[in-house]
Amino acid sequence: MAKSGRELIKLESTEGTGTFYVTSKNRRTTTQKLKLKKYDPKLRRHVLFEEKKLK
């Protein structure tokens, strides 16, 4: 069987609220850790989310 080219990751808020999103990224083309601005519902504003390992 072929191995999938996508990897599940967790995007966790840098503000320390504990909010996270689970998404996937292409493991063949992306070598850097993702950093995205997304909405944090606990703070009710957009903040920076960084990639962490999904346990």
Short mmCIF file of all heavy atoms in Angstrom, two decimals:
data_model
loop_
_atom_site.label_atom_id
_atom_site.label_comp_id
_atom_site.label_asym_id
_atom_site.label_seq_id
_atom_site.Cartn_x
_atom_site.Cartn_y
_atom_site.Cartn_z
N MET A 1 0.83 -1.19 0.00
CA MET A 1 0.00 0.00 0.00
C MET A 1 0.87 1.25 0.00
O MET A 1 1.92 1.28 0.62
CB MET A 1 -0.88 0.01 1.25
CG MET A 1 -2.00 -1.00 1.18
SD MET A 1 -3.07 -1.10 2.62
CE MET A 1 -3.25 0.54 3.15
N ALA A 2 0.39 2.25 -0.67
CA ALA A 2 1.13 3.51 -0.76
C ALA A 2 0.91 4.34 0.49
O ALA A 2 -0.19 4.38 1.05
CB ALA A 2 0.68 4.29 -1.99
N LYS A 3 1.95 5.01 0.91
CA LYS A 3 1.86 5.90 2.07
C LYS A 3 1.27 7.23 1.65
O LYS A 3 1.60 7.75 0.58
CB LYS A 3 3.26 6.10 2.63
CG LYS A 3 3.31 6.75 3.98
CD LYS A 3 4.74 6.77 4.49
CE LYS A 3 4.78 7.24 5.91
NZ LYS A 3 6.13 7.31 6.42
N SER A 4 0.38 7.76 2.46
CA SER A 4 -0.27 9.02 2.13
C SER A 4 0.75 10.16 2.14
O SER A 4 1.67 10.17 2.96
CB SER A 4 -1.37 9.31 3.14
OG SER A 4 -1.91 10.59 2.93
N GLY A 5 0.58 11.11 1.26
CA GLY A 5 1.50 12.25 1.17
C GLY A 5 1.14 13.36 2.14
O GLY A 5 1.81 14.38 2.18
N ARG A 6 0.07 13.17 2.95
CA ARG A 6 -0.37 14.21 3.86
C ARG A 6 -0.19 13.76 5.31
O ARG A 6 -0.26 12.58 5.61
CB ARG A 6 -1.82 14.57 3.59
CG ARG A 6 -1.98 14.99 2.14
CD ARG A 6 -3.08 15.92 1.83
NE ARG A 6 -3.13 17.19 2.50
CZ ARG A 6 -2.52 18.29 2.10
NH1 ARG A 6 -1.74 18.26 1.06
NH2 ARG A 6 -2.69 19.42 2.74
N GLU A 7 0.06 14.72 6.19
CA GLU A 7 0.34 14.44 7.58
C GLU A 7 -0.58 15.32 8.44
O GLU A 7 -0.72 16.51 8.18
CB GLU A 7 1.81 14.77 7.82
CG GLU A 7 2.24 14.86 9.23
CD GLU A 7 3.70 15.28 9.35
OE1 GLU A 7 4.21 16.01 8.48
OE2 GLU A 7 4.30 14.89 10.35
N LEU A 8 -1.21 14.73 9.46
CA LEU A 8 -2.06 15.51 10.35
C LEU A 8 -1.20 16.29 11.34
O LEU A 8 -0.25 15.75 11.91
CB LEU A 8 -3.01 14.59 11.13
CG LEU A 8 -4.20 14.06 10.37
CD1 LEU A 8 -5.01 13.13 11.27
CD2 LEU A 8 -5.07 15.16 9.86
N ILE A 9 -1.55 17.56 11.52
CA ILE A 9 -0.83 18.41 12.47
C ILE A 9 -1.83 19.18 13.32
O ILE A 9 -3.01 19.27 12.98
CB ILE A 9 0.10 19.42 11.75
CG1 ILE A 9 -0.70 20.31 10.81
CG2 ILE A 9 1.22 18.72 11.04
CD1 ILE A 9 0.05 21.51 10.33
N LYS A 10 -1.35 19.73 14.42
CA LYS A 10 -2.17 20.55 15.31
C LYS A 10 -1.64 21.97 15.27
O LYS A 10 -0.44 22.19 15.43
CB LYS A 10 -2.12 19.98 16.73
CG LYS A 10 -2.90 20.78 17.75
CD LYS A 10 -3.10 19.98 19.02
CE LYS A 10 -2.06 20.25 20.04
NZ LYS A 10 -2.35 19.68 21.36
N LEU A 11 -2.52 22.94 15.04
CA LEU A 11 -2.16 24.36 15.10
C LEU A 11 -2.65 24.88 16.44
O LEU A 11 -3.84 24.89 16.72
CB LEU A 11 -2.82 25.13 13.96
CG LEU A 11 -2.35 24.78 12.56
CD1 LEU A 11 -3.21 25.48 11.53
CD2 LEU A 11 -0.90 25.14 12.36
N GLU A 12 -1.72 25.30 17.30
CA GLU A 12 -2.04 25.72 18.66
C GLU A 12 -1.81 27.21 18.82
O GLU A 12 -0.84 27.76 18.30
CB GLU A 12 -1.18 24.94 19.65
CG GLU A 12 -1.63 25.08 21.08
CD GLU A 12 -0.90 24.12 22.00
OE1 GLU A 12 -0.72 22.96 21.62
OE2 GLU A 12 -0.51 24.57 23.08
N SER A 13 -2.70 27.87 19.56
CA SER A 13 -2.63 29.31 19.76
C SER A 13 -1.37 29.69 20.53
O SER A 13 -1.00 29.04 21.51
CB SER A 13 -3.86 29.77 20.54
OG SER A 13 -3.76 31.14 20.86
N THR A 14 -0.71 30.77 20.10
CA THR A 14 0.48 31.25 20.80
C THR A 14 0.13 32.11 22.00
O THR A 14 1.01 32.45 22.79
CB THR A 14 1.37 32.08 19.84
OG1 THR A 14 0.59 33.16 19.33
CG2 THR A 14 1.88 31.24 18.70
N GLU A 15 -1.15 32.44 22.16
CA GLU A 15 -1.59 33.28 23.27
C GLU A 15 -1.82 32.48 24.55
O GLU A 15 -2.10 33.05 25.60
CB GLU A 15 -2.88 34.03 22.90
CG GLU A 15 -2.71 34.98 21.73
CD GLU A 15 -1.79 36.15 22.05
OE1 GLU A 15 -1.86 36.70 23.16
OE2 GLU A 15 -1.00 36.51 21.17
N GLY A 16 -1.73 31.14 24.48
CA GLY A 16 -1.85 30.31 25.67
C GLY A 16 -3.27 30.04 26.12
O GLY A 16 -3.49 29.70 27.29
N THR A 17 -4.25 30.16 25.23
CA THR A 17 -5.64 29.90 25.62
C THR A 17 -5.99 28.42 25.53
O THR A 17 -7.03 28.01 26.03
CB THR A 17 -6.61 30.68 24.70
OG1 THR A 17 -6.40 30.28 23.36
CG2 THR A 17 -6.42 32.17 24.84
N GLY A 18 -5.16 27.63 24.89
CA GLY A 18 -5.44 26.20 24.74
C GLY A 18 -6.25 25.87 23.51
O GLY A 18 -6.56 24.71 23.26
N THR A 19 -6.62 26.87 22.72
CA THR A 19 -7.37 26.65 21.49
C THR A 19 -6.47 26.07 20.42
O THR A 19 -5.32 26.48 20.28
CB THR A 19 -7.97 27.98 20.99
OG1 THR A 19 -8.75 28.56 22.03
CG2 THR A 19 -8.84 27.75 19.77
N PHE A 20 -7.00 25.09 19.67
CA PHE A 20 -6.22 24.50 18.59
C PHE A 20 -7.11 24.08 17.45
O PHE A 20 -8.31 23.88 17.60
CB PHE A 20 -5.39 23.30 19.09
CG PHE A 20 -6.19 22.13 19.55
CD1 PHE A 20 -6.50 21.11 18.68
CD2 PHE A 20 -6.64 22.05 20.86
CE1 PHE A 20 -7.25 20.02 19.09
CE2 PHE A 20 -7.37 20.97 21.29
CZ PHE A 20 -7.69 19.95 20.41
N TYR A 21 -6.50 23.97 16.27
CA TYR A 21 -7.14 23.46 15.07
C TYR A 21 -6.35 22.24 14.63
O TYR A 21 -5.14 22.19 14.81
CB TYR A 21 -7.09 24.48 13.92
CG TYR A 21 -7.97 25.68 14.09
CD1 TYR A 21 -7.49 26.84 14.69
CD2 TYR A 21 -9.27 25.68 13.63
CE1 TYR A 21 -8.30 27.96 14.82
CE2 TYR A 21 -10.08 26.79 13.75
CZ TYR A 21 -9.59 27.93 14.36
OH TYR A 21 -10.40 29.02 14.48
N VAL A 22 -7.02 21.25 14.04
CA VAL A 22 -6.35 20.09 13.46
C VAL A 22 -6.51 20.18 11.95
O VAL A 22 -7.61 20.38 11.44
CB VAL A 22 -6.94 18.77 13.98
CG1 VAL A 22 -6.29 17.58 13.30
CG2 VAL A 22 -6.77 18.67 15.48
N THR A 23 -5.39 20.08 11.24
CA THR A 23 -5.40 20.16 9.79
C THR A 23 -4.33 19.22 9.24
O THR A 23 -3.65 18.53 10.01
CB THR A 23 -5.17 21.61 9.32
OG1 THR A 23 -5.36 21.69 7.92
CG2 THR A 23 -3.80 22.11 9.70
N SER A 24 -4.18 19.20 7.94
CA SER A 24 -3.15 18.35 7.34
C SER A 24 -2.26 19.21 6.45
O SER A 24 -2.67 20.27 5.98
CB SER A 24 -3.78 17.22 6.52
OG SER A 24 -4.47 17.74 5.43
N LYS A 25 -1.04 18.73 6.25
CA LYS A 25 -0.13 19.43 5.35
C LYS A 25 0.61 18.39 4.51
O LYS A 25 0.73 17.23 4.90
CB LYS A 25 0.84 20.32 6.10
CG LYS A 25 1.97 19.61 6.82
CD LYS A 25 2.98 20.60 7.37
CE LYS A 25 4.19 19.89 7.91
NZ LYS A 25 5.20 20.80 8.37
N ASN A 26 1.10 18.83 3.37
CA ASN A 26 1.83 17.96 2.47
C ASN A 26 3.23 17.73 3.03
O ASN A 26 4.00 18.68 3.19
CB ASN A 26 1.89 18.61 1.08
CG ASN A 26 2.44 17.68 0.03
OD1 ASN A 26 3.08 16.68 0.34
ND2 ASN A 26 2.19 18.01 -1.21
N ARG A 27 3.56 16.50 3.36
CA ARG A 27 4.86 16.23 3.98
C ARG A 27 6.02 16.24 2.98
O ARG A 27 7.17 16.31 3.37
CB ARG A 27 4.83 14.92 4.75
CG ARG A 27 4.69 13.68 3.91
CD ARG A 27 4.80 12.43 4.72
NE ARG A 27 3.59 12.23 5.50
CZ ARG A 27 3.33 11.20 6.25
NH1 ARG A 27 4.21 10.24 6.35
NH2 ARG A 27 2.23 11.09 6.92
N ARG A 28 5.71 16.18 1.70
CA ARG A 28 6.78 16.16 0.69
C ARG A 28 7.28 17.54 0.33
O ARG A 28 8.46 17.73 0.05
CB ARG A 28 6.28 15.46 -0.57
CG ARG A 28 6.04 14.00 -0.34
CD ARG A 28 5.64 13.29 -1.59
NE ARG A 28 5.34 11.91 -1.27
CZ ARG A 28 4.50 11.17 -1.94
NH1 ARG A 28 3.88 11.65 -2.99
NH2 ARG A 28 4.28 9.93 -1.58
N THR A 29 6.41 18.55 0.33
CA THR A 29 6.82 19.88 -0.13
C THR A 29 7.08 20.84 1.01
O THR A 29 7.85 21.78 0.86
CB THR A 29 5.75 20.49 -1.05
OG1 THR A 29 4.53 20.59 -0.33
CG2 THR A 29 5.56 19.66 -2.29
N THR A 30 6.45 20.65 2.16
CA THR A 30 6.58 21.59 3.27
C THR A 30 7.54 21.03 4.31
O THR A 30 7.25 20.03 4.94
CB THR A 30 5.21 21.86 3.92
OG1 THR A 30 4.29 22.19 2.91
CG2 THR A 30 5.30 22.99 4.91
N THR A 31 8.66 21.71 4.51
CA THR A 31 9.63 21.27 5.51
C THR A 31 9.61 22.17 6.74
O THR A 31 10.06 21.76 7.80
CB THR A 31 11.05 21.24 4.92
OG1 THR A 31 11.37 22.55 4.44
CG2 THR A 31 11.15 20.26 3.78
N GLN A 32 9.09 23.37 6.60
CA GLN A 32 9.07 24.31 7.72
C GLN A 32 7.79 24.14 8.52
O GLN A 32 6.79 23.62 8.03
CB GLN A 32 9.14 25.73 7.20
CG GLN A 32 10.35 26.01 6.37
CD GLN A 32 10.21 27.29 5.59
OE1 GLN A 32 9.14 27.88 5.55
NE2 GLN A 32 11.28 27.73 4.96
N LYS A 33 7.82 24.61 9.77
CA LYS A 33 6.63 24.57 10.61
C LYS A 33 5.67 25.67 10.18
O LYS A 33 6.09 26.79 9.91
CB LYS A 33 6.99 24.73 12.07
CG LYS A 33 7.77 23.55 12.61
CD LYS A 33 7.76 23.55 14.10
CE LYS A 33 8.51 22.36 14.64
NZ LYS A 33 7.64 21.29 15.05
N LEU A 34 4.38 25.34 10.13
CA LEU A 34 3.37 26.31 9.72
C LEU A 34 3.11 27.32 10.82
O LEU A 34 3.10 27.00 12.00
CB LEU A 34 2.05 25.59 9.41
CG LEU A 34 1.95 24.83 8.10
CD1 LEU A 34 0.58 24.19 8.01
CD2 LEU A 34 2.17 25.75 6.93
N LYS A 35 2.89 28.56 10.41
CA LYS A 35 2.47 29.64 11.30
C LYS A 35 1.37 30.39 10.56
O LYS A 35 1.61 30.96 9.50
CB LYS A 35 3.62 30.58 11.62
CG LYS A 35 4.70 29.96 12.46
CD LYS A 35 5.80 30.93 12.77
CE LYS A 35 6.90 30.24 13.54
NZ LYS A 35 8.02 31.13 13.80
N LEU A 36 0.15 30.36 11.09
CA LEU A 36 -0.98 30.98 10.43
C LEU A 36 -1.73 31.86 11.42
O LEU A 36 -1.78 31.56 12.61
CB LEU A 36 -1.96 29.91 9.92
CG LEU A 36 -1.45 28.94 8.87
CD1 LEU A 36 -2.50 27.87 8.63
CD2 LEU A 36 -1.16 29.66 7.59
N LYS A 37 -2.33 32.94 10.92
CA LYS A 37 -3.22 33.76 11.73
C LYS A 37 -4.62 33.21 11.57
O LYS A 37 -5.14 33.13 10.46
CB LYS A 37 -3.18 35.22 11.30
CG LYS A 37 -1.97 35.95 11.80
CD LYS A 37 -2.11 37.43 11.59
CE LYS A 37 -2.36 38.06 12.93
NZ LYS A 37 -2.39 39.52 12.84
N LYS A 38 -5.21 32.77 12.68
CA LYS A 38 -6.55 32.21 12.67
C LYS A 38 -7.33 32.79 13.84
O LYS A 38 -6.77 33.40 14.74
CB LYS A 38 -6.52 30.68 12.76
CG LYS A 38 -5.88 30.04 11.52
CD LYS A 38 -5.90 28.56 11.56
CE LYS A 38 -7.23 27.95 11.22
NZ LYS A 38 -7.72 28.20 9.88
N TYR A 39 -8.63 32.56 13.83
CA TYR A 39 -9.52 33.11 14.84
C TYR A 39 -9.46 32.30 16.12
O TYR A 39 -9.58 31.07 16.11
CB TYR A 39 -10.96 33.13 14.31
CG TYR A 39 -11.94 33.77 15.25
CD1 TYR A 39 -11.96 35.14 15.43
CD2 TYR A 39 -12.84 33.00 15.97
CE1 TYR A 39 -12.86 35.73 16.29
CE2 TYR A 39 -13.75 33.58 16.83
CZ TYR A 39 -13.75 34.95 16.99
OH TYR A 39 -14.64 35.53 17.85
N ASP A 40 -9.28 32.98 17.25
CA ASP A 40 -9.31 32.35 18.57
C ASP A 40 -10.62 32.76 19.25
O ASP A 40 -10.80 33.92 19.62
CB ASP A 40 -8.12 32.82 19.41
CG ASP A 40 -7.95 32.03 20.70
OD1 ASP A 40 -8.94 31.45 21.18
OD2 ASP A 40 -6.82 31.97 21.20
N PRO A 41 -11.58 31.83 19.40
CA PRO A 41 -12.88 32.20 19.95
C PRO A 41 -12.83 32.62 21.43
O PRO A 41 -13.70 33.36 21.88
CB PRO A 41 -13.71 30.93 19.78
CG PRO A 41 -12.76 29.84 19.55
CD PRO A 41 -11.51 30.45 19.00
N LYS A 42 -11.83 32.19 22.18
CA LYS A 42 -11.74 32.59 23.59
C LYS A 42 -11.34 34.05 23.72
O LYS A 42 -11.79 34.75 24.63
CB LYS A 42 -10.77 31.69 24.34
CG LYS A 42 -11.30 30.28 24.48
CD LYS A 42 -10.38 29.40 25.27
CE LYS A 42 -10.95 28.00 25.34
NZ LYS A 42 -10.03 27.09 26.00
N LEU A 43 -10.49 34.54 22.82
CA LEU A 43 -10.07 35.94 22.82
C LEU A 43 -10.94 36.79 21.90
O LEU A 43 -10.89 38.02 21.96
CB LEU A 43 -8.61 36.06 22.37
CG LEU A 43 -7.57 35.40 23.25
CD1 LEU A 43 -6.20 35.50 22.61
CD2 LEU A 43 -7.56 36.02 24.62
N ARG A 44 -11.71 36.12 21.02
CA ARG A 44 -12.57 36.78 20.05
C ARG A 44 -11.82 37.70 19.10
O ARG A 44 -12.23 38.82 18.82
CB ARG A 44 -13.70 37.52 20.76
CG ARG A 44 -14.63 36.56 21.48
CD ARG A 44 -15.64 37.22 22.35
NE ARG A 44 -16.28 38.35 21.69
CZ ARG A 44 -16.99 39.26 22.34
NH1 ARG A 44 -17.15 39.18 23.64
NH2 ARG A 44 -17.55 40.26 21.69
N ARG A 45 -10.64 37.23 18.65
CA ARG A 45 -9.85 37.96 17.65
C ARG A 45 -8.89 36.99 16.96
O ARG A 45 -8.73 35.86 17.40
CB ARG A 45 -9.10 39.12 18.27
CG ARG A 45 -8.10 38.73 19.33
CD ARG A 45 -7.51 39.98 20.00
NE ARG A 45 -6.68 39.61 21.11
CZ ARG A 45 -5.34 39.63 21.09
NH1 ARG A 45 -4.70 40.02 20.01
NH2 ARG A 45 -4.65 39.27 22.14
N HIS A 46 -8.27 37.45 15.90
CA HIS A 46 -7.30 36.64 15.17
C HIS A 46 -5.94 36.73 15.84
O HIS A 46 -5.48 37.83 16.18
CB HIS A 46 -7.19 37.10 13.72
CG HIS A 46 -8.36 36.68 12.89
ND1 HIS A 46 -9.55 37.37 12.87
CD2 HIS A 46 -8.52 35.62 12.08
CE1 HIS A 46 -10.39 36.76 12.07
NE2 HIS A 46 -9.80 35.70 11.56
N VAL A 47 -5.30 35.58 16.05
CA VAL A 47 -3.96 35.51 16.65
C VAL A 47 -3.12 34.51 15.85
O VAL A 47 -3.63 33.78 15.00
CB VAL A 47 -4.02 35.08 18.13
CG1 VAL A 47 -4.74 36.11 18.97
CG2 VAL A 47 -4.64 33.72 18.30
N LEU A 48 -1.84 34.44 16.15
CA LEU A 48 -0.92 33.55 15.49
C LEU A 48 -1.06 32.13 16.06
O LEU A 48 -1.07 31.95 17.28
CB LEU A 48 0.51 34.05 15.64
CG LEU A 48 1.57 33.36 14.81
CD1 LEU A 48 1.34 33.60 13.33
CD2 LEU A 48 2.94 33.85 15.22
N PHE A 49 -1.17 31.15 15.18
CA PHE A 49 -1.21 29.74 15.56
C PHE A 49 0.03 29.07 14.99
O PHE A 49 0.37 29.29 13.83
CB PHE A 49 -2.47 29.06 15.01
CG PHE A 49 -3.71 29.31 15.81
CD1 PHE A 49 -4.33 30.55 15.79
CD2 PHE A 49 -4.24 28.31 16.61
CE1 PHE A 49 -5.46 30.78 16.52
CE2 PHE A 49 -5.39 28.54 17.35
CZ PHE A 49 -6.00 29.77 17.30
N GLU A 50 0.71 28.24 15.80
CA GLU A 50 1.91 27.54 15.36
C GLU A 50 1.70 26.05 15.34
O GLU A 50 0.94 25.52 16.16
CB GLU A 50 3.09 27.88 16.28
CG GLU A 50 3.59 29.28 16.14
CD GLU A 50 4.80 29.57 17.00
OE1 GLU A 50 5.04 28.82 17.98
OE2 GLU A 50 5.49 30.54 16.70
N GLU A 51 2.41 25.39 14.46
CA GLU A 51 2.29 23.93 14.32
C GLU A 51 2.93 23.21 15.50
O GLU A 51 4.04 23.53 15.92
CB GLU A 51 3.00 23.52 13.03
CG GLU A 51 3.04 22.02 12.80
CD GLU A 51 3.82 21.65 11.59
OE1 GLU A 51 4.01 22.49 10.69
OE2 GLU A 51 4.26 20.49 11.52
N LYS A 52 2.21 22.21 16.00
CA LYS A 52 2.72 21.31 17.06
C LYS A 52 2.47 19.88 16.60
O LYS A 52 1.69 19.63 15.69
CB LYS A 52 1.99 21.54 18.38
CG LYS A 52 2.05 22.95 18.91
CD LYS A 52 3.38 23.25 19.51
CE LYS A 52 3.33 24.66 20.08
NZ LYS A 52 4.58 25.15 20.50
N LYS A 53 3.12 18.92 17.26
CA LYS A 53 2.90 17.51 16.95
C LYS A 53 1.51 17.11 17.43
O LYS A 53 1.09 17.47 18.52
CB LYS A 53 3.92 16.65 17.65
CG LYS A 53 5.23 16.54 16.94
CD LYS A 53 5.32 15.20 16.30
CE LYS A 53 6.69 15.03 15.73
NZ LYS A 53 6.77 13.96 14.81
N LEU A 54 0.80 16.33 16.64
CA LEU A 54 -0.49 15.79 17.02
C LEU A 54 -0.23 14.47 17.73
O LEU A 54 0.39 13.59 17.20
CB LEU A 54 -1.36 15.56 15.78
CG LEU A 54 -2.78 15.14 16.02
CD1 LEU A 54 -3.54 16.23 16.77
CD2 LEU A 54 -3.47 14.84 14.72
N LYS A 55 -0.68 14.37 18.98
CA LYS A 55 -0.40 13.17 19.78
C LYS A 55 -1.36 12.06 19.46
O LYS A 55 -2.44 12.23 19.05
CB LYS A 55 -0.48 13.48 21.26
CG LYS A 55 0.61 14.42 21.69
CD LYS A 55 0.53 14.71 23.17
CE LYS A 55 1.60 15.70 23.56
NZ LYS A 55 1.53 16.07 24.94
#
